[in-house]
Amino acid sequence: GAVVSQHPSRVICKSGTSVKIECRSLDFQATTMFWYRQFPKQSLMLMATSNEGSKATYEQGVEKDKFLINHASLTLSTLTVTSAHPEDSSFYICSARQRDRVVHEQFFGPGTRLTVL
Amino acid sequence: AQSVTQLGSHVSVSEGALVLLRCNYSSSVPPYLFWYVQYPNQGLQLLLKYTSAATLVKGINGFEAEFKKSETSFHLTKPSAHMSDAAEYFCAHFSGNTPLVFGKGTRLSVIA
């Protein structure tokens, strides 16, 4: 149980285009979903936290107009990178926290590799 | 603010030798602590977690970690390294309802 999927696993796009990444909790309801970004040979940096039905909370330095997060249901969150540029190329990982769990463990998706040309 | 510090960005051991990856945390409230492993171009895999039960936690692939409150540490160990253990290891921590905060990671190399 507690599986999180991401789609697509890899995406290559041209500079200036927008890219949408989906994150789904497959067998549980997620009260909260998190989006992380990981640059090569670096750690995971939290970008934003989203609760179902609420606006996302962005970490300092993350542009909310560039990284649009929608958490429309308890099983789906999307991250849209708008007007992507080469510096947005990164590994994006989502994570979901299970509803009604005593310990608020986070389950991670497999990640999406974004390359902006 | 809570944080985790991983000492050593790169650790190299011989195959069959002890693996020791260090993690220290700072938190004003009792923490939940985790170790994750990441293989190249893959997502995170949970190795083990501490959730205020037993202080010695056993995980997958022969790894274990001991929570030491007096030292604010949660070091990861494995008695005998295998070549397949070569990967990036992340210590992570949260308190209360906050998101997981990750250390900078330690790259483990295993030499034949």
Side-chain angles (χ1 to χ4, degrees):
Chain A
V3 177
V4 177
S5 71
Q6 278 184 245
H7 178 81
S9 58
R10 289 178 179 273
V11 57
I12 301 173
C13 69
K14 292 182 179 180
S15 185
T17 60
S18 294
V19 174
K20 180 185 283 188
I21 303 170
E22 290 187 350
C23 175
R24 294 182 184 272
S25 56
L26 298 184
D27 51 2
F28 67 98
Q29 292 185 325
T31 47
T32 307
M33 287 187 169
F34 307 90
W35 287 95
Y36 292 83
R37 178 168 54 185
Q38 185 181 32
F39 291 109
K41 300 189 185 302
Q42 294 189 26
S43 187
L44 282 76
M45 298 301 296
L46 180 67
M47 298 175 67
T49 301
S50 73
N51 293 294
E52 184 261 340
S54 303
K55 288 185 177 180
T57 301
Y58 291 80
E59 295 298 301
Q60 192 172 9
V62 178
E63 300 174 57
K64 62 180 181 181
D65 293 332
K66 181 170 185 62
F67 299 99
L68 301 179
I69 292 173
N70 184 286
H71 190 169
S73 76
L74 284 171
T75 59
L76 173 64
S77 176
T78 60
L79 168 67
T80 301
V81 183
T82 62
S83 187
H85 288 101
E87 57 265 31
D88 299 324
S89 298
S90 189
F91 195 48
Y92 291 87
I93 303 174
C94 77
S95 176
R97 199 167 265 177
Q98 189 172 355
R99 191 177 200 177
D100 299 329
R101 292 269 295 194
V102 176
V103 176
H104 302 295
E105 185 174 345
Q106 285 181 223
F107 302 97
F108 287 84
T112 296
R113 174 77 59 194
L114 170 63
T115 303
V116 184
L117 302 176
Chain B
Q2 58 178 2
S3 68
V4 286
T5 302
Q6 290 184 243
L7 297 176
S9 59
H10 183 208
V11 171
S12 184
V13 300
S14 299
E15 191 174 18
L18 171 72
V19 175
L20 171 61
L21 304 181
R22 300 177 186 275
C23 174
N24 288 86
Y25 69 92
S26 66
S27 174
S28 58
V29 297
Y32 296 122
L33 293 159
F34 303 79
W35 275 100
Y36 289 88
V37 61
Q38 186 179 36
Y39 297 99
N41 296 311
Q42 293 188 27
L44 298 176
Q45 182 179 9
L46 179 66
L47 282 175
L48 49 80
K49 60 184 178 184
Y50 168 75
T51 58
S52 74
T55 56
L56 182 62
V57 182
K58 294 187 183 298
I60 62 172
N61 301 341
F63 284 94
E64 63 180 39
E66 186 173 7
F67 173 73
K68 291 186 177 181
K69 186 177 179 180
S70 61
E71 299 178 6
T72 61
S73 69
F74 190 58
H75 302 330
L76 182 71
T77 61
K78 181 173 180 177
S80 176
H82 294 163
M83 297 297 290
S84 59
D85 294 326
E88 190 82 21
Y89 291 80
F90 294 98
C91 180
H93 156 218
F94 75 83
S95 300
N97 203 29
T98 59
L100 265 177
V101 173
F102 287 87
K104 292 189 175 182
T106 299
R107 181 164 58 93
L108 175 66
S109 298
V110 182
I111 304 167

